[in-house]
Amino acid sequence: MATASAELGISRSLVYRLVAKFRKRPQVSSLLPGKRGHKAAARALSEAAEAVVREAIASVYTIAADPKHLDAEIGFFAVLHTWGQNLLHHPHLHCVVPGGGLSTDGTEWISCREGFFLSVRVLSRLFRRLFLEKLVEAFDVGKLEFFSSLESLREPSSFLDYLAPLREADWVVYAKRPFAGPEQMLDYVGRYTHRVAISNNRLLDIAEGKITFRYKDYRHEARQKTMTLEAEEFIRRFLLHVLPEGFQRIRYYGFLANRYREQKLARCRELLGMPASEPSDSEASKDYSQRYEELTGFSLWQCPVCHQGRMLVIEILPKSPHRKMAITDTS
């Protein structure tokens, strides 16, 4: 994920992290059934996640290309997170964007103003309009289902009345330069590309059918707190964030899109006066254990029991001579 940005020279360019989400939003989890209708719930969550991704991307790309704003083709990657610290459903999109882009004819690199990327007010209003339009479209074709106390929302008039306050509420698009630099920001968004919702080091205890974990309470100055849930409820919350098969959590756009990335990155480097990218020898020499530690934060060499000692190789078992070889069908 970080490779394409590093190739562009992200540590030397102005980089912005955008996070699109709601400030005043309906609790998506309340739209879901309790112990029934799980397939409908999964479809609803998938539709909500896809809408967040699609419309947030459209908002950023459209405003950047507008001559009134940056008037450039930007390149960025986006990482979808669907969870909050308490594991409830909280879909939001992290976009990592260099502070500039290619001119329409590809002959110039257009930088954004110092300390300013795009108007978050304009972005938030466009995101709000696009998202609500797609939500109504999903309702019209029957992709949304309502249960229990929200069954009344099955009526079109009730559903539109429910959405009405959201058209007036402030929606949040956060766009700032990373405080600790691009490397720290890439580490943050990359932490959960191969994990879901919660890391093992936040799990504190599993006993008597209950699970205790650590979380940050952002409503109270990000204080560290603990929460204990019944195992069934913990699993229910965790499974809210298991995306459907084939759903792309990480997506690339603009000059970082897969089809033209190599050519357009080369053009960006040329316009910025940067040397051509060369593969890192250190990356090529890393073995599976080093890559595993980078992705998960845990070392395969650490003792899984005491978490202090270091594992040592004392023997490598030879392959069994009686092991059956796979038979390839050549018909």
Side-chain angles (χ1 to χ4, degrees), residues 19-34:
V19 183
K21 55 186 178 182
F22 305 109
R23 174 175 290 147
K24 298 177 181 177
R25 60 189 181 279
Q27 291 297 323
V28 180
S29 56
S30 68
L31 306 182
L32 305 179

Side-chain angles (χ1 to χ4, degrees), residues 66-196:
D66 191 331
K68 296 179 182 178
H69 298 281
L70 190 62
D71 192 19
E73 178 196 1
I74 59 174
F76 61 101
F77 68 86
V79 183
L80 174 69
H81 289 176
T82 60
W83 54 85
Q85 282 275 306
N86 57 8
L87 300 187
L88 290 175
H89 195 243
H90 177 57
H92 56 284
L93 194 70
H94 296 269
C95 301
V96 180
V97 191
L102 291 168
S103 60
T104 306
D105 58 7
T107 61
E108 183 183 0
W109 174 265
I110 301 175
S111 297
C112 65
R113 284 184 283 161
E114 180 68 26
F116 180 85
F117 179 54
L118 297 173
S119 169
V120 292
R121 186 178 183 85
V122 175
L123 279 172
S124 64
R125 289 183 174 182
L126 179 59
F127 176 53
R128 178 179 62 187
R129 178 175 66 80
L130 293 176
F131 185 89
L132 291 177
E133 285 177 356
K134 293 301 180 182
L135 200 60
V136 172
E137 287 179 16
F139 177 87
D140 290 340
V141 297
K143 290 184 177 180
L144 302 181
E145 299 185 42
F146 304 96
F147 302 85
S148 304
S149 61
L150 295 178
E151 286 188 7
S152 61
L153 294 182
R154 295 176 181 177
E155 294 296 324
S157 58
S158 298
F159 180 70
L160 293 176
D161 288 342
Y162 186 80
L163 294 185
L166 299 178
R167 301 183 189 280
E168 304 300 326
D170 290 329
W171 289 37
V172 175
V173 174
Y174 173 97
K176 291 266 180 110
R177 295 183 68 174
F179 297 112
E183 291 82 2
Q184 183 272 341
M185 177 267 307
L186 287 171
D187 175 69
Y188 172 78
V189 297
R191 206 169 293 159
Y192 288 95
T193 57
H194 293 76
R195 288 182 287 174
V196 176

